[in-house]
CSV table of all heavy atoms in Angstrom, one decimal:
chain,number,residue,atom,x,y,z
M,72,HIS,N,-2.3,-1.7,23.6
M,72,HIS,CA,-2.5,-3.1,23.3
M,72,HIS,C,-1.4,-4.0,23.8
M,72,HIS,O,-0.9,-4.9,23.1
M,72,HIS,CB,-2.6,-3.3,21.8
M,72,HIS,CG,-4.0,-3.0,21.2
M,72,HIS,ND1,-5.0,-4.0,21.1
M,72,HIS,CD2,-4.5,-1.8,20.9
M,72,HIS,CE1,-6.1,-3.3,20.6
M,72,HIS,NE2,-5.8,-2.1,20.5
M,73,MET,N,-1.0,-3.8,25.1
M,73,MET,CA,0.1,-4.6,25.7
M,73,MET,C,-0.3,-6.0,25.6
M,73,MET,O,-1.4,-6.4,26.1
M,73,MET,CB,0.4,-4.1,27.1
M,73,MET,CG,1.7,-4.6,27.7
M,73,MET,SD,3.1,-4.2,26.6
M,73,MET,CE,3.0,-2.4,26.5
M,74,GLY,N,0.6,-6.9,25.2
M,74,GLY,CA,0.3,-8.3,25.0
M,74,GLY,C,0.2,-8.7,23.6
M,74,GLY,O,0.4,-9.9,23.2
M,75,PHE,N,-0.1,-7.8,22.7
M,75,PHE,CA,-0.2,-8.0,21.3
M,75,PHE,C,1.3,-8.4,20.8
M,75,PHE,O,2.2,-7.7,21.2
M,75,PHE,CB,-0.7,-6.8,20.5
M,75,PHE,CG,-0.7,-7.0,19.0
M,75,PHE,CD1,-1.9,-7.6,18.4
M,75,PHE,CD2,0.3,-6.6,18.2
M,75,PHE,CE1,-1.9,-7.8,17.0
M,75,PHE,CE2,0.2,-6.8,16.8
M,75,PHE,CZ,-0.9,-7.4,16.2
M,76,ASN,N,1.4,-9.4,20.0
M,76,ASN,CA,2.8,-9.8,19.6
M,76,ASN,C,2.8,-10.4,18.2
M,76,ASN,O,3.7,-11.2,17.8
M,76,ASN,CB,3.3,-10.9,20.6
M,76,ASN,CG,2.4,-12.1,20.7
M,76,ASN,OD1,1.5,-12.3,19.9
M,76,ASN,ND2,2.7,-13.0,21.6
M,77,LYS,N,1.9,-9.9,17.4
M,77,LYS,CA,1.8,-10.4,16.0
M,77,LYS,C,2.7,-9.6,15.1
M,77,LYS,O,3.2,-8.6,15.4
M,77,LYS,CB,0.3,-10.4,15.5
M,77,LYS,CG,-0.6,-11.2,16.4
M,77,LYS,CD,-0.4,-12.7,16.3
M,77,LYS,CE,-1.4,-13.5,17.1
M,77,LYS,NZ,-1.6,-13.1,18.5
M,78,PRO,N,2.8,-10.1,13.8
M,78,PRO,CA,3.8,-9.4,12.9
M,78,PRO,C,3.7,-7.9,12.7
M,78,PRO,O,4.7,-7.3,12.5
M,78,PRO,CB,3.5,-10.1,11.6
M,78,PRO,CG,3.0,-11.5,12.0
M,78,PRO,CD,2.3,-11.3,13.2
M,79,ALA,N,2.5,-7.4,12.9
M,79,ALA,CA,2.4,-5.9,12.7
M,79,ALA,C,3.3,-5.2,13.7
M,79,ALA,O,3.9,-4.1,13.3
M,79,ALA,CB,0.9,-5.5,12.9
M,80,ASN,N,3.4,-5.7,14.9
M,80,ASN,CA,4.4,-5.1,15.8
M,80,ASN,C,4.6,-6.1,16.9
M,80,ASN,O,3.9,-6.3,17.9
M,80,ASN,CB,3.8,-3.8,16.5
M,80,ASN,CG,4.8,-3.2,17.4
M,80,ASN,OD1,5.9,-3.7,17.7
M,80,ASN,ND2,4.4,-2.1,18.1
M,81,PRO,N,5.7,-6.9,16.8
M,81,PRO,CA,6.0,-7.9,17.8
M,81,PRO,C,6.5,-7.4,19.2
M,81,PRO,O,6.5,-8.1,20.1
M,81,PRO,CB,7.1,-8.8,17.2
M,81,PRO,CG,7.8,-7.9,16.2
M,81,PRO,CD,6.7,-6.9,15.7
M,82,ASP,N,6.8,-6.1,19.3
M,82,ASP,CA,7.2,-5.5,20.5
M,82,ASP,C,6.5,-4.2,20.9
M,82,ASP,O,7.0,-3.1,20.7
M,82,ASP,CB,8.8,-5.3,20.5
M,82,ASP,CG,9.4,-5.1,21.8
M,82,ASP,OD1,8.6,-4.9,22.8
M,82,ASP,OD2,10.6,-5.0,21.9
M,83,VAL,N,5.3,-4.4,21.4
M,83,VAL,CA,4.5,-3.2,21.7
M,83,VAL,C,5.0,-2.5,22.9
M,83,VAL,O,4.7,-1.3,23.2
M,83,VAL,CB,3.0,-3.5,21.8
M,83,VAL,CG1,2.4,-4.0,20.5
M,83,VAL,CG2,2.7,-4.5,22.9
M,84,ALA,N,5.8,-3.2,23.8
M,84,ALA,CA,6.3,-2.5,25.0
M,84,ALA,C,7.4,-1.5,24.5
M,84,ALA,O,7.4,-0.4,25.0
M,84,ALA,CB,7.0,-3.6,25.9
M,85,ALA,N,8.2,-1.9,23.5
M,85,ALA,CA,9.2,-1.0,23.0
M,85,ALA,C,8.6,0.3,22.4
M,85,ALA,O,9.1,1.4,22.6
M,85,ALA,CB,10.1,-1.7,22.0
M,86,THR,N,7.5,0.1,21.7
M,86,THR,CA,7.0,1.3,21.0
M,86,THR,C,6.3,2.2,22.1
M,86,THR,O,6.2,3.4,21.9
M,86,THR,CB,6.0,0.9,19.9
M,86,THR,OG1,5.1,-0.1,20.3
M,86,THR,CG2,6.8,0.4,18.7
M,87,LEU,N,5.7,1.6,23.1
M,87,LEU,CA,5.1,2.4,24.2
M,87,LEU,C,6.3,3.2,24.9
M,87,LEU,O,6.1,4.4,25.2
M,87,LEU,CB,4.3,1.6,25.2
M,87,LEU,CG,3.8,2.3,26.4
M,87,LEU,CD1,2.8,3.4,25.9
M,87,LEU,CD2,3.0,1.4,27.3
M,88,GLN,N,7.4,2.5,25.1
M,88,GLN,CA,8.5,3.1,25.7
M,88,GLN,C,9.0,4.3,24.9
M,88,GLN,O,9.4,5.4,25.4
M,88,GLN,CB,9.7,2.1,25.9
M,88,GLN,CG,9.7,1.5,27.3
M,88,GLN,CD,10.3,0.2,27.4
M,88,GLN,OE1,10.8,-0.4,26.4
M,88,GLN,NE2,10.4,-0.4,28.6
M,89,ALA,N,9.0,4.1,23.6
M,89,ALA,CA,9.4,5.1,22.6
M,89,ALA,C,8.5,6.3,22.7
M,89,ALA,O,8.9,7.5,22.7
M,89,ALA,CB,9.5,4.6,21.2
M,90,ALA,N,7.2,6.0,22.9
M,90,ALA,CA,6.2,7.1,23.1
M,90,ALA,C,6.5,7.9,24.3
M,90,ALA,O,6.5,9.2,24.3
M,90,ALA,CB,4.8,6.6,23.1
M,91,VAL,N,6.8,7.2,25.4
M,91,VAL,CA,7.1,7.9,26.7
M,91,VAL,C,8.4,8.7,26.5
M,91,VAL,O,8.4,9.9,27.0
M,91,VAL,CB,7.3,6.9,27.8
M,91,VAL,CG1,7.8,7.5,29.1
M,91,VAL,CG2,5.9,6.2,28.1
M,92,ALA,N,9.4,8.2,25.8
M,92,ALA,CA,10.6,9.0,25.6
M,92,ALA,C,10.3,10.3,24.9
M,92,ALA,O,10.9,11.3,25.2
M,92,ALA,CB,11.6,8.1,24.9
M,93,LYS,N,9.5,10.1,23.9
M,93,LYS,CA,9.1,11.3,23.1
M,93,LYS,C,8.3,12.3,23.9
M,93,LYS,O,8.6,13.6,23.8
M,93,LYS,CB,8.1,10.8,21.9
M,93,LYS,CG,8.0,11.8,20.8
M,93,LYS,CD,8.6,11.2,19.5
M,93,LYS,CE,8.6,12.3,18.5
M,93,LYS,NZ,9.3,11.8,17.3
M,94,ILE,N,7.5,11.9,24.8
M,94,ILE,CA,6.7,12.7,25.7
M,94,ILE,C,7.7,13.5,26.6
M,94,ILE,O,7.7,14.7,26.8
M,94,ILE,CB,5.7,11.9,26.6
M,94,ILE,CG1,4.6,11.4,25.7
M,94,ILE,CG2,5.1,12.8,27.7
M,94,ILE,CD1,3.8,10.3,26.3
M,95,ASN,N,8.7,12.7,27.2
M,95,ASN,CA,9.6,13.3,28.1
M,95,ASN,C,10.6,14.3,27.5
M,95,ASN,O,11.2,15.1,28.1
M,95,ASN,CB,10.5,12.2,28.8
M,95,ASN,CG,9.6,11.3,29.7
M,95,ASN,OD1,8.5,11.7,30.1
M,95,ASN,ND2,10.1,10.2,30.1
M,96,ALA,N,10.6,14.2,26.1
M,96,ALA,CA,11.5,15.2,25.4
M,96,ALA,C,10.8,16.4,24.9
M,96,ALA,O,11.4,17.3,24.4
M,96,ALA,CB,12.2,14.4,24.2
M,97,LEU,N,9.5,16.5,25.2
M,97,LEU,CA,8.7,17.7,24.7
M,97,LEU,C,9.3,18.9,25.4
M,97,LEU,O,9.6,19.0,26.6
M,97,LEU,CB,7.2,17.5,25.0
M,97,LEU,CG,6.5,16.5,24.1
M,97,LEU,CD1,5.1,16.3,24.7
M,97,LEU,CD2,6.3,17.1,22.7
M,98,SER,N,9.4,20.0,24.6
M,98,SER,CA,9.9,21.3,25.1
M,98,SER,C,9.0,21.9,26.2
M,98,SER,O,9.4,22.5,27.1
M,98,SER,CB,10.2,22.2,24.0
M,98,SER,OG,9.0,22.5,23.3
M,99,THR,N,7.7,21.7,26.0
M,99,THR,CA,6.7,22.1,27.0
M,99,THR,C,6.2,20.8,27.7
M,99,THR,O,5.5,20.1,27.1
M,99,THR,CB,5.5,22.8,26.3
M,99,THR,OG1,6.0,23.8,25.5
M,99,THR,CG2,4.6,23.4,27.4
M,100,PRO,N,6.7,20.6,28.9
M,100,PRO,CA,6.3,19.3,29.6
M,100,PRO,C,4.8,19.3,29.8
M,100,PRO,O,4.3,20.3,30.4
M,100,PRO,CB,7.1,19.4,30.9
M,100,PRO,CG,8.1,20.5,30.8
M,100,PRO,CD,7.5,21.5,29.8
M,101,PRO,N,4.2,18.2,29.5
M,101,PRO,CA,2.7,18.1,29.7
M,101,PRO,C,2.5,17.9,31.2
M,101,PRO,O,3.3,17.4,31.9
M,101,PRO,CB,2.4,16.8,28.9
M,101,PRO,CG,3.6,16.0,28.9
M,101,PRO,CD,4.8,17.0,28.8
M,102,GLU,N,1.3,18.4,31.6
M,102,GLU,CA,1.0,18.3,33.0
M,102,GLU,C,0.5,16.9,33.4
M,102,GLU,O,0.6,16.5,34.5
M,102,GLU,CB,-0.2,19.3,33.4
M,102,GLU,CG,0.3,20.7,33.1
M,102,GLU,CD,-0.2,21.7,34.2
M,102,GLU,OE1,-0.8,21.2,35.2
M,102,GLU,OE2,0.1,22.9,34.1
Side-chain angles (χ1 to χ4, degrees):
Chain M
H72 281 266
M73 197 54 58
F75 180 87
N76 56 10
K77 303 291 184 312
N80 181 1
D82 194 352
V83 297
T86 48
L87 178 60
Q88 265 153 358
V91 171
K93 198 114 188 175
I94 293 164
N95 289 346
L97 285 169
S98 58
T99 308
E102 298 221 3

